[in-house]
Amino acid sequence: MRSEARGRLAVISALGVVEILAWGSSFYLPAVLAGPIAADTGWPLAWVVGGLSIGLLAAAIASPRVGIAIHRHGGRPVLASAALLLAAGHVVIGLAPNLPVFLSGWLVIGLGMGCGLYDPAFATLGRLYGAEARPAITTLTLWGGFASTVCWPLSAFLVDHVGWRGACLAYAGLHLAVTLPLVLGLIPPAPMAASGAEGTRWHGEPLTPRERRAFLLMAAVLVLGGTVMTLVSVHLITLLQARGVALAAAVSYGALIGPAQVGARIVEMANKGRHHPLWTLTVAMTLVVLGLAILAAGVPAVGLALILYGAGNGIYSIARGTVPLALFGPVRYPELVGRLARPGLIAQAVAPSLGAVALTYGGADAAYGLLAALALANLVLAIALWGARPDVDGGGGLG
């Protein structure tokens, strides 16, 4: 039993490092590199930043097939492919002589994101541990919460010492030298029982009407959740400055989100799964609504608002992995997670432009109102999910 626990800890730790590098070298990369790239090349900043949107769209297109691949073959080959794709994409970006080649590199990175961010990692854990995957998913999000903490300073260090092109090539090297060996060395193959008739039986069977309602509600939650998270990530500093907060103070306020996310995830881990994952989702959406409502109302409690938002967003990351496992069971989990990921990734790709339009034509008040309204709508969807639960409840089977 103790050796099994050590083995599971090794798997989660390996996946944790993989997630830090995957998120840090993709989703969080433009925050540090976009400015130096635009300044060095003369390419429009909007297009440089838009590379991430292209990558997210590529990830969205790939996600359902990624889910099917994990369902059939387990996560190990898919995560190994992610390391190779991310490395290849960074090589293309680092050597790009012009903007079209640069954007094509983001297409490759996007495919790597589709194979290597949270959803494939959650599906991998669900494939390995079945209905017992919830604690592993929760612990993995704790690791992932340090992606920006680790990779933003690393990216800045690399830009200062080897330039933005060297930084991209360094990330390619890290994926080949760190991520790929961790996946191949510590992520076990899929269990044999799950790769036989039991594991492949469900593929292609339609959901029941009740299951389909739950699936559509969960997809809508992921769409709105992804939109809100990306809008805040991209536009928070601008929004705070529009309310008279100085740049340095706005950055300091923004830095509260990361620790709040990690702190909330630790609290969730301490509960040891004693409550249904829908409670996690409902509490997460409630905290996000409270935080964004305080910001939208202009109440002078920016720090509290961002701590509430960060805590909600932190446990929302857990809920997006554990709720589908509880609703649909472990057999269908990898494929359904892949299908659920697509609309959320598309929303994240579109969100920065949506925020820019709101800021341009409605000002900061309109943008704050949009965030609060989206968060409130997501809370309503989370509550609606309680009434749409299939009979699986925790992943005991097909239900």
Side-chain angles (χ1 to χ4, degrees), residues 56-163:
L56 288 167
L57 289 173
I61 292 170
S63 287
R65 291 191 177 276
V66 168
I68 292 172
I70 296 174
H71 176 78
R72 291 177 174 171
H73 309 294
R76 188 183 183 195
V78 172
L79 293 171
S81 298
L84 294 173
L85 287 165
L86 289 168
H90 279 97
V91 169
V92 173
I93 287 178
L95 301 178
N98 52 52
L99 184 59
V101 174
F102 174 83
L103 296 177
S104 70
W106 270 106
L107 277 174
V108 180
I109 287 178
L111 294 175
M113 294 165 70
C115 293
L117 293 186
Y118 269 151
D119 296 301
F122 292 159
T124 298
L125 292 172
R127 190 71 165 74
L128 289 172
Y129 305 127
E132 303 301 317
R134 181 180 176 182
I137 290 171
T138 301
T139 305
L140 179 61
T141 63
L142 187 62
W143 280 85
F146 291 100
S148 60
T149 304
V150 171
C151 289
W152 275 346
L154 175 60
S155 295
F157 174 84
L158 290 170
V159 169
D160 286 342
H161 289 80
V162 295

Side-chain angles (χ1 to χ4, degrees), residues 232 236-257 260 287-288 290-311 368:
V232 172
L236 176 63
I237 304 302
T238 301
L239 287 169
L240 291 179
Q241 287 183 285
R243 288 279 174 84
V245 179
L247 176 59
V251 171
S252 298
Y253 279 131
L256 295 172
I257 294 176
L287 291 172
V288 169
L290 289 174
L292 293 179
I294 291 172
L295 289 177
V299 176
V302 175
L304 173 62
L306 292 178
I307 288 171
L308 290 171
Y309 166 80
Y368 278 119

